[in-house]
Structure formats: C-alpha cells, structure tokens
Amino acid sequence: MKKFPQRTVTRAFMYLRALDSLIEEGKAYVSSGELAAMTALTDVQIRKDISVFGKAGKPRVGYDTRRLKQLLEEYVVQNVVHVVLFGVGNLGSAILRYPGFQEDKIKMVAAFDSDPNKVDKAINGISIYSLDKAKLLIQKKHVEIGVIAVPKQASQQIADLLVSCGIQGIVNFSPTTITVPKGIFVKNIDLAVEFLSLFWDMNAKKAPRYA
Amino acid sequence: MKKFPQRTVTRAFMYLRALDSLIEEGKAYVSSGELAAMTALTDVQIRKDISVFGKAGKPRVGYDTRRLKQLLEEYVVQNVVHVVLFGVGNLGSAILRYPGFQEDKIKMVAAFDSDPNKVDKAINGISIYSLDKAKLLIQKKHVEIGVIAVPKQASQQIADLLVSCGIQGIVNFSPTTITVPKGIFVKNIDLAVEFLSLFWDMNAKKAPRYA
DNA sequence: ATTTAATCGTGAATTTTTTAACAATTAAAT
DNA sequence: ATTTAATTGTTAAAAAATTCACGATTAAAT
Ligand SMILES: NC(=O)c1ccc[n+]([C@@H]2O[C@H](COP(=O)([O-])OP(=O)(O)OC[C@H]3O[C@@H](n4cnc5c(N)ncnc54)[C@H](O)[C@@H]3O)[C@@H](O)[C@H]2O)c1
Ligand SMILES: NC(=O)c1ccc[n+]([C@@H]2O[C@H](COP(=O)([O-])OP(=O)(O)OC[C@H]3O[C@@H](n4cnc5c(N)ncnc54)[C@H](O)[C@@H]3O)[C@@H](O)[C@H]2O)c1
C-alpha cells in the first residue's frame, strides 16, 4: 500500500463527506475553492491533497464530484470494516440507530451488554448478545473494531476483553484512559475534550478550521 | 494570550484526561514514560510539550500529577464554557446524561427540540425548551457553543439559527456538511469517519497512536 | 480563430512539528 | 560522602506539512 501523507488522508475523509453532500444535491462539479469553503481549509491545500492521489480535475470547471469521490475512496477506504459495540445504554443505542453507516463500507455486526434485560433483542436489525458470546462472534465474523460505550468503571475490563478476542482497533467513548498492548489502535471520543479544545480554538482566534 | 504550538495544545487535553485517571487512582507522580504508554505517544514528545508551559517535573521522580494538571489547565482551559444542545433524541439525551462534564469548566445550559412532546421536561437537570426560546436564552446566558444532534435534514437550519443567535462554535453530530460564515468554528463528529480513518491507520500499520 | 478568465497541478520556499542527542538534576544505593 | 541510575529540560537536527508562485490547461466569450 502506497504511503500518503498522514494529514492528507485525514482530510480525504473530510472531502468525502463534503462530496456526499454535493452529490446528494445533484452537483456535478466542484472547485477547490468551493470545497475549501465547505471544509474551512484553503483551495491550495485541497488541490495539493488531491494531487497526491492523482489528477482528477479539469481546469476551468473543477472536479467531477463522483469521480473525485471514487478516486479518494479507491485509495483511502479499504474493504468493508466489521464493528461490534459494547454497552447498549443511552449512547450505545443511539449509535446502533446511527444512519450514517454505509453498509458497503461499515458493517455493525453485533452488540453486547451485561444486562440480561437487554440481550436477545435487536436495535435497527443489530442483535444484542451477552458478553460470553463475544469471543466466538468476533472471531467468526472477522471483526476489526470494537466500540466501548459502557460506564467508565467497566471500560478497561471491556478493553481487555476486546484485546483478548483479537480485535485491533477500539473506539472508546468512556471518559477515561484505557490501557492496551502496543499494536492496538485506540481512538477516544470525549465530548468534554471536544468542547474544551473547540473553545480553545475559538479563543485563540485561529483561522476557522473544521475537524 | 501566549501562543503555543497547535498540536501541543491538542495533546495537552489528552494529558489532562490521563492525569485525571491517575489522580483518581491516587498516583502522586508520573513519568513522561508512563504518560507515553497511556497516550501512545513518546516520552520525548511529552516532555517537549510540557516544557512549553513551564517546568513541572523533578528528575528521577517525574511530574507531580496534581501540579501538572494545574499547570496545563492554567494555560489550556479557559473560563467555564457554556453549551446548548439542539435535538433531544437518542443521541441528544445520551449527551445530556454524559457524566464527563466538570461543572466548573463546562456548563450545559439548556436543550432545545422542535417536538412539543419533549419540551418543558428536563434530563439530568437540564431543561428542554422549544426553539423559539433559543435566541433569548443563548444571549442571556452567554452561550458560546451549540451542539447539533438533530436529523441531518434539519442540521443546516439549526446551524443557521445558532449563527443568528451569535454563537461562535458548533459541534455537529449529524453526518452532513454544514455551511457557516467565516469566523465560526465547527467541529464535526461523525462515527462513520472515525471508523474509516481508524481502519486506515490500522492497515497503514503506523505506530499506535491515540486520537 | 483568438483572447480571456478561471482553475488545476506542481516544484520550490517556508513554516511547523517531531526526533535526536545530551547536559543537568535528583533520589537512592553503596 | 560518593557513586549510580533515572529522569527532566533544552538545543540542534531532521522530517513533515503548508504555503507560495506560477506555468499549463480548458471553457467561454468575443
Ligand atoms: N463521548 C461522549 O460524547 C459520550 C456521551 C455520552 C456518554 N458517554 C459515555 O458512554 C458510556 C455509556 O454512557 P450511557 O449514557 O450510554 O450509559 P448507560 O448507563 O445508559 O449505558 C451503559 C450500558 O452498558 C451496560 N454495561 C454495564 N457494564 C457492562 C459491562 N461490563 N459489559 C457490557 N455492558 C455493560 C449497561 O447494562 C448499559 O446498558 C459512559 O462511559 C459515558 O460516560 C460518552
Ligand atoms: N456522530 C455520531 O456518532 C452519531 C451517532 C448517532 C446519531 N448521530 C446523528 O445525530 C443526529 C440525531 O440522531 P438521533 O438518533 O438522536 O435522532 P432522533 O431522531 O432520535 O432525534 C432527533 C431529535 O431532533 C428533534 N428535531 C427534529 N427536527 C428538529 C429541529 N428542526 N429542531 C430541533 N429539534 C429537531 C426531534 O424531535 C428529535 O427529538 C442525527 O443526525 C444522527 O445521524 C450521530
């Protein structure tokens, strides 16, 4: 797999999201300037990024939205990724209902909860199982990513479980640090941190920037 | 306000989160190496970052957890930030119940929903109002940040409303691009993007890295 | 057919960020 | 009291990312 600049890849996902909006509203071409306005980046940055993947634009008209989407996805979106969720509470059930997953790229395979009242049901077509089913299911379905949405007291325990099932990536919503062996990738999503860092950016009066 | 390297500030919030865990478990000192293991960064990076704010460590023992927390907060956490939420559905109510806000730093002031069945109630002590109350409340309580947790068809409309109320920062959970005037800061949180970019990182076999 | 204006694509310059190297400091061991 | 080992803090070097400057290309206008 060719190596692209780290930040370019991150931004590629922003472009893809913007392109989805544009395609949905029927726009056939978009210029780097328009994309810049949508993403709060600069037009130069965008052209440079795109050029890393190939030539996709036509001078004077801009980029074909569908073609650009295809180009970015070709390099940046891998095969379908399989995901499981732990903790079907307030947040967990909201996530199971999230309409943003495109089935051909992200497959939510199953959910798990320790509460017997929650298991053997389904939300949005996704079945909820007890924890003892986790290992078998994760391995059988080749699940790559686990989501932690349990109370923070339980999150390390679930992290350990995920690791023992052979999962390589974790998205952790609980507001606490989890410890995992080297080689496992963790992405923490903490609303408190989002607020504080956004507020910092606002006060630092930097050029606006999506993230 | 002194200017710190952008990335150092971002990481400072990660350090604060790790420090909270350490303090909670009663640890008085922590070395850059231990922090590195917790955050999947390197010890050098951490020392470099901290040195930007001041000298906070003692050779041979490391950093006093409480003191380091205080130092980072002094520079990186501003006054209390006031937040409102739009859309008290599955996700919105989970957010209102989020226990990770420290009242002295983040104040969730109010929530708004267009559904009459949801207004005039409260979740976790936070009152839910109809949309027409938004402007007055936001201005009276000096709200700086608005959260968008409405269905994606409504999110641009809410973004416009937030802007018209004078809000400077938006956290957008809806999986679509919103357009705002220059000078307004937007942070998008899109689970689909998180999965795809985490999966990219995993496959790119980069050194593990929290984010 | 020629000119004009918009836009892309890119090599070079600049800025920012990370990494490396190592001196200074301190606690503990002897 | 001296030595040893661990750890910080800083300066310099290297790497990565961004911005700049501008030529090339194309569609539209004349
Ligand atoms: N990042 C964010 O923005 C954000 C927002 C809201 C909540 N959160 C966090 O997400 C987590 C869940 O929040 P919530 O409001 O949904 O909580 P909740 O109490 O509603 O749900 C927790 C669920 O986890 C289950 N559970 C408990 N222990 C378990 C275990 N050991 N194994 C499996 N399942 C277990 C419970 O049965 C329950 O269904 C919390 O850590 C919360 O702090 C994060
Ligand atoms: N980022 C994520 O991880 C994530 C996860 C889940 C959901 N989401 C997104 O969050 C949003 C909300 O999801 P949900 O599952 O809570 O949806 P939901 O349908 O349960 O809730 C939406 C709420 O918004 C209210 N609403 C609708 N139109 C409104 C308007 N114009 N003004 C004010 N309120 C309005 C509805 O009354 C409802 O209470 C969606 O856009 C969804 O895609 C994001």
Side-chain angles (χ1 to χ4, degrees), chain A residues 6-7 17 21 75 78 90 97-98 175-176 178 183 185-188 190 194 197 200 203 206 210, chain B residues 6-7 17 21 75 78 90 97-98 175-176 178 185-188 190 194 197 200 203 206 208 210:
Chain A
Q6 179 70 52
R7 317 283 260 295
R17 216 170 91 127
S21 295
Y75 287 110
Q78 332 276 299
N90 301 121
R97 292 197 184 87
Y98 181 56
T176 185
I178 57 174
F185 287 64
V186 177
K187 191 160 286 211
N188 294 299
D190 187 333
E194 300 299 335
S197 69
W200 166 272
N203 288 324
K206 286 295 174 47
Y210 282 63
Chain B
Q6 178 69 52
R7 279 89 219 275
R17 215 170 91 127
S21 296
Y75 287 110
Q78 333 276 299
N90 301 122
R97 291 198 184 86
Y98 181 56
T176 187
I178 57 173
F185 286 65
V186 176
K187 192 161 284 212
N188 294 299
D190 187 333
E194 300 298 335
S197 69
W200 167 273
N203 288 324
K206 287 294 174 47
Y210 283 62

Side-chain angles (χ1 to χ4, degrees), chain A residues 86-92 112-115 118 131 148-152 154 157-158 173-175 189-191, chain B residues 94-95 97-100 173:
Chain A
F86 284 77
V88 188
N90 301 121
L91 179 64
F112 301 93
D113 201 295
S114 60
D115 181 346
K118 306 218 168 173
L131 290 182
I148 299 183
V150 299
K152 69 175 180 178
Q157 173 202 323
I158 298 297
F173 279 96
S174 79
I189 301 181
D190 187 333
L191 203 42
Chain B
I95 291 172
R97 291 198 184 86
Y98 181 56
F173 279 95

Side-chain angles (χ1 to χ4, degrees), chain A residues 1 3-4 6-7 9 13 17-18 21 24 38 75-76 78-79 81 83 90-91 94-95 97-98 100-101 106 144-145 147 152 168-180 183-203 206-211, chain B residues 1 3-4 6-7 9 13 17-18 21 24 38 75-79 81 83 90-91 94-95 97-98 100-101 106 144-145 147 152 168-178 180 183-203 206-211:
Chain A
M1 191 188 327
K3 188 152 146 293
F4 303 112
Q6 179 70 52
R7 317 283 260 295
V9 173
F13 290 107
R17 216 170 91 127
S21 295
E24 193 168 0
M38 290 178 78
Y75 287 110
V76 138
Q78 332 276 299
N79 292 329
V81 54
V83 183
N90 301 121
L91 179 64
I95 290 173
R97 292 197 184 87
Y98 181 56
F101 303 141
I106 299 169
E144 295 100 356
I145 292 179
V147 179
K152 69 175 180 178
Q168 295 295 309
I170 295 177
V171 175
N172 174 35
F173 279 96
S174 79
T176 185
T177 304
I178 57 174
T179 305
V180 295
I184 311 286
F185 287 64
V186 177
K187 191 160 286 211
N188 294 299
I189 301 181
D190 187 333
L191 203 42
V193 170
E194 300 299 335
F195 286 155
L196 294 177
S197 69
L198 175 58
F199 197 42
W200 166 272
D201 288 348
M202 287 160 59
N203 288 324
K206 286 295 174 47
R209 195 178 54 252
Y210 282 63
Chain B
M1 191 189 325
K3 186 152 147 293
F4 302 112
Q6 178 69 52
R7 279 89 219 275
V9 173
F13 290 106
R17 215 170 91 127
S21 296
E24 193 169 358
M38 292 178 76
Y75 287 110
V76 139
V77 179
Q78 333 276 299
N79 292 329
V81 53
V83 183
N90 301 122
L91 179 65
I95 291 172
R97 291 198 184 86
Y98 181 56
F101 304 140
I106 299 168
E144 294 99 356
I145 292 178
V147 179
K152 70 174 178 177
Q168 295 295 310
I170 296 177
V171 174
N172 173 36
F173 279 95
S174 79
T176 187
T177 304
I178 57 173
V180 295
I184 311 286
F185 286 65
V186 176
K187 192 161 284 212
N188 294 299
I189 301 182
D190 187 333
L191 203 42
V193 170
E194 300 298 335
F195 287 155
L196 294 177
S197 69
L198 175 59
F199 196 43
W200 167 273
D201 288 347
M202 287 161 58
N203 288 324
K206 287 294 174 47
R209 192 179 55 252
Y210 283 62

Side-chain angles (χ1 to χ4, degrees), chain B residues 38-179:
Chain B
M38 292 178 76
T39 54
L41 300 165
T42 67
D43 55 344
V44 190
Q45 178 80 81
I46 284 168
R47 290 201 298 280
K48 185 79 196 242
D49 282 339
I50 294 173
S51 76
V52 162
F53 302 106
K55 302 192 189 184
K58 269 212 268 199
R60 192 76 216 250
V61 292
Y63 300 91
D64 179 313
T65 47
R66 298 190 129 80
R67 201 158 96 68
L68 180 55
K69 175 176 167 160
Q70 204 181 359
L71 177 72
L72 296 180
E73 282 186 343
E74 176 184 342
Y75 287 110
V76 139
V77 179
Q78 333 276 299
N79 292 329
V80 57
V81 53
H82 302 86
V83 183
V84 291
L85 174 99
F86 284 77
V88 188
N90 301 122
L91 179 65
S93 41
I95 291 172
L96 294 180
R97 291 198 184 86
Y98 181 56
F101 304 140
Q102 292 147 293
E103 281 288 319
D104 52 330
K105 315 219 185 74
I106 299 168
K107 182 116 186 58
M108 182 63 76
V109 168
F112 301 92
D113 202 293
S114 60
D115 181 347
N117 296 316
K118 307 218 168 174
V119 309
D120 292 333
K121 296 181 176 140
I123 291 182
N124 198 17
I126 301 153
S127 302
I128 303 166
Y129 301 95
S130 60
L131 291 182
D132 55 349
K133 306 282 192 312
K135 188 156 200 166
L136 189 67
L137 245 156
I138 286 172
Q139 291 177 345
K140 197 166 79 180
K141 303 269 183 136
H142 302 101
V143 174
E144 294 99 356
I145 292 178
V147 179
I148 298 183
V150 298
K152 70 174 178 177
Q153 302 86 317
S155 50
Q156 182 62 55
Q157 173 202 325
I158 298 297
D160 295 341
L161 172 61
L162 284 168
V163 170
S164 81
C165 295
I167 266 189
Q168 295 295 310
I170 296 177
V171 174
N172 173 36
F173 279 95
S174 79
T176 187
T177 304
I178 57 173
T179 305

